[in-house]
Amino acid sequence: MPIKIPDHLPARRTLEAEGVVVIGETDAVRQDIRPLRIGLLNLMPDKIGTETQFARLLGAAPLQIELTLVRISDHVARHTSADHLSAFYQPWSEVRTQRFDGFVITGAPVEHLPFEKVRYWPELRQILDWTQTHVHATLTICWAAQAALQHFHGIPKHRLTAKAFGIFAQTNLAPGSPWLRGFPDRFEAPVSRWTEVREGDFPQDGTLVTMACAEETGPCLVSDPRHRMLHMFNHLEYETDTLAKEYHRDGVGPMPIGYFPNDDPSRSPENRWRGHAHLLIGNWINEIYKTTPFDISRIGAPPSDGWNGR
C-alpha cells in the first residue's frame, strides 16, 4: 500500500524514483479504508533529508500511511526555508487536538546542552505528555529517546569522553519480541552522538526493557510499555552517506569506526543496516495496526491486553 504525503513535498520525487508507492491526497480519499495516521516531529537541521529517510521506511509498509510533518511551534529552523516549513509542516500547537496511531520524534543536535537549556524543552515536555493521551505508539530517536527517559523516568544522559561515531554491532537481547521479529542475533547500526544513557540508571522494576545493545555504545533499543514508547538511541534511518557527510562537514574529529572501507574516507561506504531499518519500522507499524483502535477518538486510552511492549 502507498504512503500519503503532500503532492509537492521534495521527498516525493526521491521516493517515486526508488519505487516507493506514493499516493496523492486526492486519490487517498477515494480509498474506503482508514489509513494509519503517523506524525513526524522533525527536530533535525536537515529537515528535507530526514523527511525522506522516514517517509522511505514508512512507505515500505503494506498499509496506507498518512504522514503529518510537525515542528516545534515557536522554534525558528535555521537550515530549512520558511517557505518549505510553511508549505509542509504544522506547528504542534495546531495538531495538539488531533490523534495519531503512531508518532516519531527525531534526534536533534543539542545533546551538548543540559535538557533544561534547550530552548524548546518546555514544549517538548508538553508533547511527550500529549503522546500519552493522543498517540497510540511513539518512537523516539537518539536525543529524543534520551529526552523521553529523562522526562518520564528522571534518567540522566552522560557526556562521553570521545564521540560514539561509526557502525557498531548490536546484540539482539529479545529475539522473541515483536519489535525485533526477523532480526539476527547481531545487527549493525550507525551511531553518532556525544552522550549516552546507562542501563545502570534504569528503574529496577522492569518498566524499561533493553532489547538491543552494544558493549561499546550501550543501549540501542529500549521498550517502555507503560508509556507505549519504543526508544532507538542509534540511527538505522540514516542514508548510506550520512556519516560521511558529517565527517567531511566537521573536518576534525574521529573517523567513523567500521564505516569507510579500509578506513579510507575517499572510498564510498557500504550500507549494511538498510534491511534492519525497514524491518524495525515494518514491525512497529505492524504492531500499531494490530492494536490501535479503529475508532480514532479512542486513541490514547490505557493500552489493551493486545499491546505487547516487550
Side-chain angles (χ1 to χ4, degrees), residues 21 48 50 56 112-113 127 146 161 170 194 197 199 225 305:
V21 180
I48 293 176
T50 304
R56 174 185 296 115
H112 61 289
L113 295 173
I127 293 171
Q146 297 178 350
T161 56
Q170 312 295 321
W194 282 98
V197 296
E199 194 169 6
D305 292 339

Side-chain angles (χ1 to χ4, degrees), residues 225-244:
R226 179 181 300 174
H227 295 99
R228 300 192 299 275
M229 286 184 152
L230 195 62
H231 307 296
M232 166 54 73
F233 295 92
N234 302 326
H235 289 284
L236 285 175
E237 80 281 1
Y238 270 4
E239 306 269 9
T240 303
D241 62 353
T242 302
L243 293 184

Side-chain angles (χ1 to χ4, degrees), residues 165-168 188 255-261 263 269-270 272-273:
F165 191 39
I167 310 300
F168 292 87
E188 293 183 301
M255 181 182 298
I257 294 172
Y259 179 62
F260 293 114
D263 289 333
E270 294 181 348
R272 306 190 300 273
W273 61 90

